[in-house]
Amino acid sequence: MRIGTIVNYAGGFVEVADEIAELEKVGLDIVFVPEAYSFDAASQLGYLAAKTSTVTLASGVFQLYTRTPTLIAMTAAGLDYVSGGRFVLGLGASGPQVIEGFHGVKYDAPLGRTRETVEICRKVWKRERLEYEGKHFTVPLPPEKGTGLGKALKLINHPVRDRIPVVIAALGAKNVALTAEIAEGWQPIFFMPEKAGDVWGAALAEGKAKRAPELGELDVFAGPALAIGENVEHLFAFVKPMLALYIGGMGAKGKNFYHGLATTYGFGKQADAIQDLYLAGKKQEAVEAVPDELVRSISLIGPKSFVAERVAAFKEAGVTTLNVNPLAENTAGRVQQVETLAGLL
């Protein structure tokens, strides 16, 4: 198993980059830089490429609707170039709250756009003359939709690699099936090893049945919080606000995937209570309603022996990369957490 982490939106970036360089020394394999509606990820990834030497750098994630497929491909090739072949393209559809609310772009057809974007990216990286006609993207633009001057082009530079790994953040059954079919990696959320098969097993099997052999095995990125030590359960408090936000506030009643996920995990009554409180504006009470057992089951928080058991459970469930959030007060503490985890793998 590999160890990854994700850069936080907050904090000074120079300090964050220095910390990633320290984590690299003790076994960090990959770092994801998020975007959402914060600073763009590409700028930060370029900086990290200069500050590191071995760690893989990943977008976490580039949103499908905010760049053309060819710009996504160019940016990925550029980041792979400046990092010496260490880039992984993390893609995701995000949601209408961000895509329409912040970017002013219509959120539609995430499945079709995902497939076509990946297909176009792979053509660009192979330096094929780009001629593509899909339902959502057509390159070059046909004369009736443009000036008629556009012609098929290919990337000027030779990419470091003609196949940059693609990791897709996917949750719903259709999205997960598509990811297992076309991507090198899959990034779920709130992954509980013992129940993940109940939620995503059928979709993964459907996608893998159509998977091209050259893609290899699907890399699965789980994202547990990490705190190895005695008497660390008080750190559950740092995980609960995110769970309350997603279970309670990401969608309306009956239309919230995360609420359904918690229900499938066996926390239906608690999920109902969290949602009711959150939608009523009682956000702190919603946080307090998140059960310790839910946090424990999706995290790596506890004594070394317990964490070792949980790591084995994640591995048994098919996880290949633990994309951890080390819970510690400072860089030294976070480095120690990652180093300790590396010793358990």
Side-chain angles (χ1 to χ4, degrees):
M1 298 180 80
R2 298 189 304 165
I3 301 175
T5 193
I6 187 166
V7 170
N8 198 300
Y9 293 113
F13 189 72
V14 172
E15 292 77 12
V16 169
D18 289 341
E19 182 170 310
I20 295 301
E22 291 301 310
L23 291 169
E24 179 182 54
K25 296 175 184 177
V26 299
L28 186 72
D29 296 294
I30 185 168
V31 57
F32 284 79
V33 177
E35 199 165 62
Y37 46 101
S38 181
F39 298 130
D40 78 285
S43 300
Q44 298 169 71
L45 285 160
Y47 186 94
L48 285 175
K51 296 287 290 187
T52 58
S53 57
T54 61
V55 69
T56 298
L57 307 172
S59 50
V61 296
F62 285 161
Q63 299 151 0
L64 292 172
Y65 300 86
T66 59
R67 298 171 174 88
T68 65
T70 42
L71 180 56
I72 291 173
M74 291 167 63
T75 303
L79 288 167
D80 208 45
Y81 172 60
V82 299
S83 66
R86 290 187 286 133
F87 181 66
V88 166
L89 175 59
L91 285 174
S94 188
Q97 297 95 330
V98 174
I99 300 305
E100 297 185 0
F102 190 69
H103 293 284
V105 176
K106 184 178 180 181
Y107 184 91
D108 65 352
L111 284 171
R113 290 182 182 277
T114 299
R115 182 184 293 277
E116 293 186 14
T117 295
V118 172
E119 289 175 351
I120 291 170
C121 282
R122 288 175 175 158
K123 283 180 170 288
V124 171
W125 298 331
K126 290 179 181 178
R127 294 192 74 241
E128 296 179 5
R129 196 167 296 279
L130 189 55
E131 295 179 309
Y132 186 90
E133 186 173 351
K135 182 177 180 180
H136 306 286
F137 302 105
T138 300
V139 186
L141 199 65
E144 63 270 19
K145 292 186 178 181
T147 63
L149 298 176
K151 61 179 181 179
L153 302 172
K154 63 182 179 180
L155 193 67
I156 293 173
N157 307 87
H158 288 264
V160 175
R161 295 179 291 174
D162 64 5
R163 190 63 172 263
I164 295 171
V166 175
V167 174
I168 297 176
L171 298 173
K174 292 181 179 179
N175 286 316
V176 171
L178 177 67
T179 298
E181 177 189 348
I182 69 170
E184 280 84 0
W186 169 48
Q187 190 176 10
I189 193 171
F190 305 144
F191 191 95
M192 183 191 295
E194 293 78 7
K195 296 287 187 178
D198 296 338
V199 180
W200 294 297
L204 288 169
E206 178 186 339
K208 288 179 180 180
K210 304 174 184 177
R211 187 175 180 83
E214 59 266 26
L215 288 175
E217 293 296 317
L218 184 67
D219 198 358
V220 179
F221 295 78
L226 174 69
I228 304 173
E230 303 295 329
N231 304 314
V232 292
E233 289 195 353
H234 65 281
L235 296 174
F236 287 176
F238 289 92
V239 182
K240 290 184 177 183
M242 181 68 73
L243 283 165
L245 169 64
Y246 278 74
I247 295 170
M250 290 294 187
K253 286 190 175 183
K255 295 183 179 181
N256 181 325
F257 175 87
Y258 310 96
H259 177 280
L261 183 62
T263 299
T264 304
Y265 283 173
F267 298 93
K269 290 183 179 179
Q270 296 92 329
D272 288 343
I274 293 166
Q275 188 175 60
D276 288 342
L277 289 166
Y278 203 97
L279 294 179
K282 301 176 181 179
K283 296 182 180 179
Q284 183 55 41
E285 292 180 46
V287 170
E288 294 168 0
V290 175
D292 286 353
E293 190 55 37
L294 175 56
V295 178
R296 184 180 290 109
S297 64
I298 65 171
S299 303
L300 298 174
I301 299 177
K304 186 182 291 187
S305 59
F306 172 78
V307 171
E309 291 175 0
R310 297 308 294 158
V311 167
F314 277 94
K315 185 175 183 180
E316 178 67 22
V319 172
T320 55
T321 302
L322 293 166
N323 210 35
V324 298
N325 174 24
L327 302 177
E329 293 182 353
N330 51 40
T331 293
R334 289 185 285 274
V335 169
Q336 182 181 36
Q337 287 291 332
V338 170
E339 187 172 20
T340 303
L341 177 61
L344 296 176
L345 302 185

